[in-house]
Structures are given as structure tokens and as C-alpha cells.
Amino acid sequence: MNPGKPAVLIFKESLLPLSETFIAAQAGALTRFEPRYIGLGRVTPSLSVPPNAILLTSTVSPMASLRQKLYRRMGLAPRFHRQAACSGAALIHAHFASGGRSALPLARSLHMPLVVTLHGADVTTRINYSKRYARLWEEADTFVCVSEFIRQKAREAGFPEHKLRVRYTGIDLTAFQHSPGPAMPNLVLFVGRLVEKKGCAYLLRAMQLVQHRYPHARTVIIGEGPLRPALTDLARQLQISCDFLGSQPAAEVRKWLSLARVFCAPSVTAADGDREGPGMVFAEAQSIGTPVASFAHGGIPEIVHNGETGLLAPEGDAERLADNIYLLLTDEQLWRRCVERGRTWISERFDLQRQTRELEEIYFAASRKATRCSSTARIATAR
């Protein structure tokens, strides 16, 4: 622990799925706070988490799952809370609304302010928000929304408007540097979980249309999820050139982003209302010099400048999506314009260091408010 910096507990119920590189990147970019991971358990496989992470359960087992479930319901775990108290942290930053709710007993026990980041499904799915999150609305200090779209959905769901702040997560521009050009000029790349919201089936149907006009086009799918068997079958039925690579480490994803001519992740609204809000991989692609083809859905129009850094079709329109992919594969002038504008666009709006500095201002504000409230309470008690 750096004695010159206050610590912040980065709370995530499960530490830390491979798809959540954005959480690790943001924690690693902190300069005025020392991050300390804390959670209810680990997932397998997972991103690398520092060995000093504080865990309610250290194994993956039915007993560990039971303990986590009991903690979510009752909030009792004295040893877990003592470990957190010994961290010397000034506040807790929880990810996702469900994580914020699970972190409430910890925040109460340690008398710490709680900041919660809202990412997408936690404010867009069709549930009774007031029943599930009323206490969180009252007790959390700030809700950080990863896009203006998410702020709007959070407000509609009932989250207190005066506690909502929009801060894009951002990407590390030094890690996603502009590549000289696609080494595989016929490649269309998808990166994302293979779930309904990510819209991979729309990409496969669009690629069937693209390959009728441009037979050399091929698709690579990076990601894992429950829909993989169905998507593999669909690709086979459509007779398209497509490779499913499963989950890949961050370095491998960066390599494929630099190889591809087009990045396509056509997210859609899932049956339960879940929406994109937005995915950082869209920023990573544009930063590295790979234009985006997607749908005008959720928070994507905030991260892809339509007609300038990529092309957005109406949500669910596979034919328009196919037209846009074909244009980016074949129109050299359009492609180069998107490449050149993409890096500037991302550096202006989604630089990780700049966005994280603004997040730290939220941390400081929450800490100062908690200190003032504590001082007022002590004075009132003394009287």
C-alpha cells in the first residue's frame, strides 16, 4: 500500500471475468488513489487479480456459492469486513447495480461512502427496480453512468437523478496504437460474449449477403457464451467463411483488431430488455485503426461517429448492416477517412487517463462529503 495515497476498494461480486478488462484498466489507471480489489469470490478463468485481493470465499465450490448467497441476503461476514477495514480505504467503488447492493453491508460496517458504476444490463432489463434497489438509491453516494444512454435509462428506472454522473470508462491509447493497415484486408472481426444482446446472429446473416457480393470476405468470432453452439450451427447453415476462436486474452484481441479490416458487433435489445451501453471494444477498434459497422443501438452512437469513424445501420436491419460492411471492405476512400478520424475521435472523448482523473474527482467529492457528515455527527453527539 502506498502511504501517500488513500485506498479505494474496487468491489466486484466475482473477480474478474475475462470480458471485464475495462474494470482492470480503470483500476490500473488510478494515480491519486491506490486500488484494492475486493469481492465475494473468483471466477475461472479470470483476469489476473493482485494477490492482496480481499475475498469472502477463496475457492470455487458449492459451499463457496452458498456463503456468497448468504452474504447477499444477510450481509454478515465479520472476518471479511475486518480485512476490508485493515485496508485503510477511504471509500468503496462497486461495479454494476447488483455489486452495489452486495457492497452495502460492507459500506455500512466500515462507514465508507459508496460509488457505484452502472454499465448496461443493470439499468435496462425489465425488473422491479424500486423493490430491488431502493436502499441502494438511498445509501450510495454517486452512480457513475458509462454513457448518456445509461444515465437516461437509470433515471427512467428510478435511480435518483441528482446522484447520476456520466463518465466514460475510456481506453489506454498507448495499448491500442494506430496500426499501419489491415494485414488481412478481407477480415470482419467480432469480439464479445455470445449472448443475445451482442447480436452475433445478425452479423452471420449479414456476412452471407456480403459474401455473395464479395466472396473473399471472412469472419472471425472471438468470445464465448451460451449461444455458441447455435451460432456455430447457423454459420454452417449459411455456408459462410467463419472461424470461432472462443475467449482470448487481451493481447490476442488487440492483435486481431489490428489485423482486421472491419470490426462488427451489431448489438440489439435482448428479450429481457438488456441493451449495450456502450462496449469499450468499439473504442479499442477505432483507436487501433479499424472502422466499425454496427447498429444504432443503446450507447453505441455515443462511441461510433456514424459516417465518420464507422457506419451504423438501423437496429436489426441485417441487409443495411451487410451494405455497410461491404462498403468498408471495398470503398478505400471511405475506409481511410474512417481510420483517420477514428483515432482522433477516441483520443478526444475516451482517453482512459483523462476519464480516470475525472473519476478520481468523484472519489474525492464522496470522501469529503463523508468526512463532513462524520464531523457533523460527532458534534451533534457531543452536544
Side-chain angles (χ1 to χ4, degrees), residues 253-287:
V253 172
R254 285 197 299 271
K255 183 193 81 171
W256 280 101
L257 283 171
S258 66
L259 292 174
R261 169 87 174 194
V262 180
F263 174 76
C264 182
S267 299
V268 295
T269 305
D272 64 357
D274 189 8
R275 301 182 191 180
E276 195 74 68
M280 283 298 102
V281 68
F282 290 94
E284 294 167 358
Q286 292 168 93
S287 179

Side-chain angles (χ1 to χ4, degrees), residues 296-316:
H297 157 89
I300 294 174
E302 294 179 54
I303 203 166
V304 179
H305 192 179
N306 189 27
E308 293 293 326
T309 69
L311 299 175
L312 301 179
E315 182 174 342

Side-chain angles (χ1 to χ4, degrees), residues 86-371:
C86 290
S87 69
L91 77 160
I92 302 169
H93 179 187
H95 286 273
F96 299 93
S98 60
R101 185 177 61 171
S102 293
L104 272 178
L106 185 64
R108 293 189 195 115
S109 174
L110 274 57
H111 306 288
M112 285 185 188
L114 175 62
V115 173
V116 182
T117 291
L118 305 175
H119 290 278
D122 39 2
V123 295
T124 61
T125 52
R126 299 186 186 98
I127 62 171
N128 187 331
Y129 286 97
S130 61
K131 182 178 180 180
R132 184 173 296 187
Y133 294 125
R135 288 186 178 179
L136 180 63
W137 294 348
E138 180 181 349
E139 297 185 39
D141 180 85
T142 306
F143 295 98
V144 178
C145 305
V146 297
S147 70
E148 179 59 34
F149 170 75
I150 291 301
R151 189 195 70 80
Q152 293 172 0
K153 299 307 294 182
R155 181 173 54 79
E156 292 170 10
F159 284 73
E161 188 168 8
H162 69 281
K163 293 186 178 184
L164 301 176
R165 303 286 184 274
V166 176
R167 286 292 174 269
Y168 297 112
T169 302
I171 65 164
D172 183 355
L173 298 177
T174 62
F176 295 91
Q177 296 187 3
H178 202 289
S179 61
M184 304 177 74
N186 302 320
L187 177 62
V188 177
L189 177 68
F190 172 97
V191 179
R193 291 177 295 120
L194 301 184
V195 295
E196 183 186 7
K197 177 177 76 171
K198 297 297 181 179
C200 188
Y202 289 90
L203 169 60
L204 298 180
R205 294 189 179 95
M207 288 307 298
Q208 182 188 43
L209 300 175
V210 170
Q211 287 184 197
H212 285 160
R213 303 161 69 183
Y214 191 74
H216 298 298
R218 61 176 292 230
T219 312
V220 164
I221 309 294
I222 294 179
E224 195 57 80
L227 294 185
R228 179 168 178 171
L231 292 168
T232 303
D233 289 344
L234 179 60
R236 189 180 303 113
Q237 294 167 16
L238 297 174
Q239 297 182 328
I240 61 174
S241 176
C242 182
D243 295 311
F244 288 81
L245 303 187
S247 295
Q248 296 293 324
E252 194 69 9
V253 172
R254 285 197 299 271
K255 183 193 81 171
W256 280 101
L257 283 171
S258 66
L259 292 174
R261 169 87 174 194
V262 180
F263 174 76
C264 182
S267 299
V268 295
T269 305
D272 64 357
D274 189 8
R275 301 182 191 180
E276 195 74 68
M280 283 298 102
V281 68
F282 290 94
E284 294 167 358
Q286 292 168 93
S287 179
I288 218 165
T290 305
V292 174
S294 186
F295 290 142
H297 157 89
I300 294 174
E302 294 179 54
I303 203 166
V304 179
H305 192 179
N306 189 27
E308 293 293 326
T309 69
L311 299 175
L312 301 179
E315 182 174 342
D317 191 337
E319 292 186 7
R320 285 282 297 279
L321 180 65
D323 290 341
N324 289 343
I325 293 171
Y326 177 78
L327 281 172
L328 290 171
L329 286 172
T330 60
D331 188 328
E332 192 67 22
Q333 185 176 1
L334 170 65
W335 184 84
R336 290 196 177 279
R337 184 174 78 239
C338 290
V339 168
E340 291 168 5
R341 180 68 180 119
R343 176 72 177 182
T344 303
W345 169 256
I346 296 303
S347 65
E348 289 173 350
R349 294 171 62 87
F350 299 97
D351 173 59
L352 177 63
Q353 278 67 38
R354 183 185 304 141
Q355 295 296 333
T356 304
R357 284 196 299 271
E358 294 181 2
L359 174 67
E360 288 182 314
E361 289 301 321
I362 292 175
Y363 287 175
F364 278 120
S367 299
R368 286 193 294 266
K369 187 186 301 182
T371 300

